[in-house]
Every structure is written in structure tokens, then in C-alpha cells.
Amino acid sequence: MNSKKIPLARPWVGTEELKNLERVLNRGWLTTGPEVKQFEEEFRSRIKAQHAIAVSSGTQALELALASLDLRPGEKVITPSYTFAAAPEVILRLGAQVVLVDADERDLNISIEKTREILERESGTVRAILPVHLAGHPVDIQGLDSLAEEFGLKIIEDAAHAYPTQVGPNWIGGQQNRPHLHTTCFSFYANKTLTTGEGGMITTEDEELAQRLRKLTLHGMEKNTWKRVQSKNQPSWEYEINERGFKANMSDLAAAVGLAQLEKAHRARELRTERAKQYLSLLSHRKDLILPPDVEGSSWHLFIIRLKREAFPNLMEKRNQVMTDLSEAGIETSLHYRPIHMHTYYKDLLKHQDGDFPVCFEGYQGAITLPLFAQMTEEEVERVVEELGKTLADYLPPHQR
Ligand SMILES: Cc1ncc(COP(=O)(O)O)c(C=O)c1O
């Protein structure tokens, strides 16, 4: 066995992050202050968004965005089953109902066709759609926007995987002339394409909404402590609360790391794209795998392959064996995702059967996420492909090897 392990992901951090952290520590102001302001400004301008509000996590970004819709009890929000638990969790926490939807076979993103079927059935009770740009591949934006227009819905995008993702000339989260787009929510969790350890960002084109979201990040206070301390006209100890808020502000320490990460985010995407294309080329001859689509502009956060059932009838068992073998060969893989409707809590609450969403069910059983990160070398990609080939050969019938 080659002794050097290949991780699933590795943050690209170093001297630039350290230098920024030193600046903040020397300044002595550690929580929300000048670094957060600069991080918001630079993030916003890079993707050409009007407003960016930094928060403590991607989950908090989603929660604040949804809270700002002032959902009434019983109102429904549609979200894909093929995603991470953050979206359904915050929908429920805000007293709304979760409606899950199946995935598109091509990229496992939300199925627009299935969403339409739900909207036709649930007419009038759905307030919003919360799609995720899975792995950094954008959802069908035109299809989504037409549904929002037709059924009078708001869109909150989960862009936890999608910094930076481009759709034609536009950036996900940036100005795109999309009247139904309420907000876009990013995550800067440790394994993400841009990381602050923990953190997130909300972008919007609406100034009033931006002001409200900013207020919600810190208990509903009109002004955060940094602004009050800076203000010449008002006593710094005075603040006004006129709405119940959250504790979701980003610290200057996190923002300082974020600023260094922003500098290399576009180069990092280029490097991941090169590695993803190398995977696609080296695996293109395989008839036993479904490869991710080669989408122009993707952030390439994740590289998710799927074993085909026709090659591996006992799909899930073989998928698990392949992942175990790769792990023993020093290659870390992961599973994105076990669909929401198959987790005990959501299954019981929403009264779902595993097979309710066939594309999600099938996708889950065959999916393996291979390592992909900016500093991954060509040789590491070759080694993953070689080890994958070896383990697949062990499980294929002889005539298919
Ligand atoms: C699709 C998706 N949405 C939301 C989140 C939540 O982000 P965070 O961990 O920053 O709260 C994640 C994090 O892994 C995610 O993958």
C-alpha cells in the first residue's frame, strides 16, 4: 500500500491566513468589526452582488434568510431530498412545513419536473423553494425561475457548494436579474471551497432586506457594538431592539481568514476544475460508472461518481465494499448524500418510504465522493483512479472487467 493518504478535501491555508490573523490579534478587536466589513465588501464585489451579510455558518445563513420571509405556521417550503440536513432543519425550526422533492437523474440536483407536479398538487400553500447547487453544479435556473414566476414563489438558494460558480456571465449569488430570487446562502465550513473554519454569507439585491438581515445576525440590534463604539453622536452603550433576532454574526478572526481565502478562491477553482477534468477523462471509458456532468462554470466542490446497478446488481453492498477498499488503500471517500427522507427523524415526521423518491434512492445507493481539492496533484488523481479500477475489477463479473 502507498503510505501517503489522500484526503477527501484539504483546506488551502498558509502564511496569508496567518498574516491576517496576526493583524486582527494585534488590533485587539476580535468580534464583528472592520475585517467583517471588508470581507463582505470584497465577497460582494467579486460576484457582483449588491449586498453581502457575513454570518456564523451556512446553516445560520439559511435560517436568517428563511426568517426574513416571515413564514406563517403551516406554510410550506420545497427542498430537495438529496441534500444536507441544514435546509429541512431550519424550515421546521421556523414553524413551516417541509415538502421534499426527488432529484434529476443527470446531476442529482432538484428535479424541476417533480417540483412542478408538487406545486400543481399543493396549490397556494407553498411559499418558497430552497434548492441546493449540489457539488457546485448550478440547478436549472431558468426552469426554477419560471416555476417561481408561475406559482408566485420566493427562491432561497443553498449555495453551500457553489462559491464560485458561474452561469454564463453571472455568478451564483450575484446580480442576475432574477426577480424571484430572495437570497443566496453560502457556507464557509472547514471542507468548503472557501473556508473560515465555520462561517457563511447571505447575498441579496434588496437593500431593505440586507439591512434587516444584518440586524437579525445580532439579536435584532439596530447597530452592532463596533458601529456603536465608532459613532461620535450617540452614547456607545445605547442600542435599540425592535425585532427578535439571532446570534449569528461572524467574528473578525473568521473574516480575516476569509479575506485571505478570497484572494485564492478563483485560482483554487481553476485547479479543482483541472483535476475534475482529469478524472472525467481517465474514467470516461468506464461503462460501470455514472460520472458527474462536465458543467462549465461549476465550482467543482465535490466529485460524485455513481456505480451502475446493471454492473453491480447488489449496488449498496458493492458501493460500501469499494469505499472500504479505497480507505484501506489510503484514499478517503465520502457519501453525498443519504437523502433526507431516508433519515429516521424525517422519515417518521414526513411519513416517507425509502422508495418515494426513486432517483434519490438509487443515487444514494451507488454514490461515492472521490477526493478533490485545489492542491491535489495529477499523480494523486491517477492513484485514485488506479485504486478505484482495481477494487471495481474485484466486484465485476469476469466478462465486464
Ligand atoms: C448543502 C449544504 N447546505 C448547508 C450546509 C450547512 O453549512 P454549515 O456547516 O456552514 O452550517 C452544508 C454544510 O456542509 C451543506 O453541505
Side-chain angles (χ1 to χ4, degrees), residues 193-230:
T193 52
L194 183 158
T195 185
T196 58
E198 297 282 356
M201 191 75 83
I202 312 174
T203 58
T204 175
E205 298 306 288
D206 180 336
E207 169 142 25
E208 220 173 285
L209 175 60
Q211 275 177 18
R212 183 170 176 212
L213 287 166
R214 212 174 286 290
K215 195 171 65 176
L216 290 178
T217 62
L218 201 66
H219 307 292
M221 292 175 184
E222 283 292 347
K223 278 201 172 113
N224 69 35
T225 322
W226 173 255
K227 281 196 186 147
R228 281 188 278 118
V229 171
Q230 298 297 304

Side-chain angles (χ1 to χ4, degrees), residues 91-339:
I91 296 168
L92 290 174
R93 196 147 57 227
L94 290 166
Q97 287 184 37
V98 177
V99 181
L100 296 175
V101 61
D102 205 358
D104 193 299
E105 171 63 35
R106 180 173 166 266
D107 55 7
L108 298 175
N109 265 328
I110 190 167
S111 159
I112 299 297
E113 200 185 312
K114 295 281 163 47
T115 307
R116 165 174 290 285
E117 284 171 19
I118 292 175
L119 286 165
E120 281 166 357
R121 215 172 48 226
E122 304 268 355
S123 64
T125 54
V126 179
R127 270 290 297 288
I129 311 184
L130 202 166
V132 56
H133 302 292
L134 188 75
H137 290 10
V139 300
D140 169 2
I141 285 181
Q142 268 188 353
L144 189 71
D145 286 357
S146 338
L147 282 184
E149 168 71 22
E150 189 179 340
F151 293 91
L153 308 172
K154 291 282 185 200
I155 299 168
I156 293 176
E157 294 177 313
D158 181 344
H161 301 177
Y163 185 79
T165 288
Q166 227 171 340
V167 183
N170 302 317
W171 297 99
I172 290 293
Q175 200 167 27
Q176 300 164 61
N177 196 16
R178 297 175 58 196
H180 296 276
L181 179 61
H182 179 71
T183 38
T184 302
C185 301
F186 296 89
S187 162
F188 307 139
Y189 179 67
N191 71 347
K192 296 296 189 281
T193 52
L194 183 158
T195 185
T196 58
E198 297 282 356
M201 191 75 83
I202 312 174
T203 58
T204 175
E205 298 306 288
D206 180 336
E207 169 142 25
E208 220 173 285
L209 175 60
Q211 275 177 18
R212 183 170 176 212
L213 287 166
R214 212 174 286 290
K215 195 171 65 176
L216 290 178
T217 62
L218 201 66
H219 307 292
M221 292 175 184
E222 283 292 347
K223 278 201 172 113
N224 69 35
T225 322
W226 173 255
K227 281 196 186 147
R228 281 188 278 118
V229 171
Q230 298 297 304
S231 167
K232 304 267 180 300
N233 311 324
Q234 243 188 325
S236 64
W237 54 89
E238 272 292 357
Y239 56 82
E240 173 74 11
I241 293 176
N242 52 21
E243 172 172 16
R244 189 184 63 192
F246 297 78
K247 171 64 180 168
N249 57 312
M250 177 179 274
S251 75
D252 261 20
L253 285 167
V257 175
L259 279 166
Q261 290 274 291
L262 266 183
E263 290 297 325
K264 47 194 166 193
H266 287 257
R267 177 67 190 137
R269 182 178 73 140
E270 274 172 21
L271 291 168
R272 283 192 307 275
T273 305
E274 280 171 24
R275 296 290 86 81
K277 285 189 186 288
Q278 189 190 348
Y279 268 135
L280 288 173
S281 144
L282 291 176
L283 294 170
S284 62
H285 66 285
R286 296 211 69 105
K287 304 266 182 291
D288 50 354
L289 298 179
I290 303 172
L291 300 181
D294 185 4
V295 177
E296 197 61 40
S298 172
S299 71
W300 280 111
H301 168 47
L302 301 172
F303 194 88
I304 306 173
I305 59 166
R306 285 174 274 168
L307 307 194
K308 282 190 187 163
R309 189 179 289 283
E310 64 224 48
F312 306 96
N314 213 345
L315 189 59
M316 201 153 116
E317 188 190 314
K318 291 295 177 255
R319 191 274 316 275
N320 288 342
Q321 280 171 345
V322 170
M323 287 177 78
T324 307
D325 289 352
L326 287 173
S327 165
E328 281 165 9
I331 292 162
E332 192 187 6
T333 59
S334 186
L335 172 59
H336 296 88
Y337 285 101
R338 176 168 169 185

